[in-house]
Amino acid sequence: VDATKQEYKLGINGTEHLLIIVQEPTCIEPWPVRALPAVDVDRLTGKLPSELVTLPLDDRKKTLKPLLAALMVTSDKNVGVPTVDVLHRLEKVLNSVQLDVTVSKPERAHNDATVAPKSCRNTPTISLKITAKPTPWEREQIAAQGHDPIDVMHLTVDDAELQLLLVHQEGLYERARQKWRALDSVAQWIASRLRFER
């Protein structure tokens, strides 16, 4: 996106989303409005949308620079922001098997973190995808010992399950809906509690 050819307008929708409006000087109609969830605003700026509006103008412009630099045009001709799918990755030995474990967010269309403004009416939810597979070294050991190979394993934890799992982690679930660091903490917490049986 060439910032010299488009005018960007950013607005607040409650405390959950940041609205992104793009207007080309040569076009009467603006581009389709997109909304960026608070957790991704925090990832890029370190601030929630509701915190951005309280900043002095110069500080606000400075804080928004990483977000503006991240803007892209998606294949469906919308303005978007690249998503970060992988939250946490580690190697972990479970039941004597060395596994490569990845905790990620569900994949988004066009690798775009933004959503349609109508989604702003819904409270953001959290869904995590866990993938575990033997490390290359472990695969070699399994083959050398003549054991059956271990397939890649997938587990999805939806919003309701996460709320239940985090019931004793006071406030962590609510923070994870808006704060990137809190979401990363949830991903690490989930990864640390994985179990594996052959």
Side-chain angles (χ1 to χ4, degrees):
V1 178
D2 186 346
T4 64
K5 295 182 180 179
Q6 284 85 24
E7 177 183 348
Y8 304 96
K9 296 180 181 179
L10 305 178
I12 305 296
N13 190 300
T15 60
E16 307 285 5
H17 293 83
L18 183 73
L19 296 181
I20 303 174
I21 304 168
V22 180
Q23 175 73 61
E24 289 186 279
T26 57
C27 295
I28 298 174
E29 294 295 326
W31 291 20
V33 178
R34 300 296 290 172
L36 188 65
V39 68
D40 286 290
V41 177
D42 180 69
R43 168 173 64 89
L44 290 163
T45 69
K47 299 287 184 182
L48 295 176
S50 57
E51 294 171 334
L52 288 171
V53 297
T54 65
L55 295 175
L57 182 58
D58 288 344
D59 291 344
R60 189 185 313 149
K61 288 180 177 179
K62 181 179 178 181
T63 304
L64 284 169
K65 279 185 177 180
L67 192 155
L68 292 172
L71 290 178
M72 63 180 186
V73 178
T74 64
S75 59
D76 56 356
K77 303 301 181 183
N78 281 322
V79 66
V81 174
T83 185
V84 174
D85 294 328
V86 175
L87 295 168
H88 188 60
R89 173 174 279 141
L90 77 160
E91 287 188 2
K92 188 177 180 70
V93 177
L94 297 174
N95 199 10
S96 301
V97 177
Q98 189 177 56
L99 297 171
D100 180 13
V101 178
T102 301
V103 183
S104 58
K105 298 194 299 180
E107 295 178 2
R108 299 290 300 276
H110 312 301
N111 189 35
D112 180 17
T114 66
V115 297
K118 63 182 180 181
S119 301
C120 301
R121 294 193 294 266
N122 303 321
T123 300
T125 58
I126 305 172
S127 179
L128 297 178
K129 177 182 176 182
I130 299 121
T131 303
K133 60 183 179 182
T135 63
W137 179 88
E138 187 65 44
R139 287 198 298 270
E140 291 178 2
Q141 297 302 307
I142 291 171
Q145 296 170 18
H147 295 314
D148 292 334
I150 298 174
D151 294 330
V152 177
M153 296 164 283
H154 301 282
L155 175 67
T156 299
V157 185
D158 65 23
D159 187 75
E161 292 171 319
L162 275 173
Q163 289 190 56
L164 184 61
L165 288 168
L166 298 172
V167 67
H168 297 299
Q169 304 285 327
E170 186 176 357
L172 181 57
Y173 169 80
E174 289 299 326
R175 292 197 304 276
R177 289 198 301 110
Q178 296 189 346
K179 287 288 189 178
W180 186 257
R181 186 173 293 180
L183 183 59
D184 180 66
S185 295
V186 169
Q188 293 184 47
W189 186 86
I190 291 292
S192 71
R193 280 153 179 78
L194 290 177
R195 301 291 181 267
F196 165 72
E197 294 183 8
R198 286 179 179 270

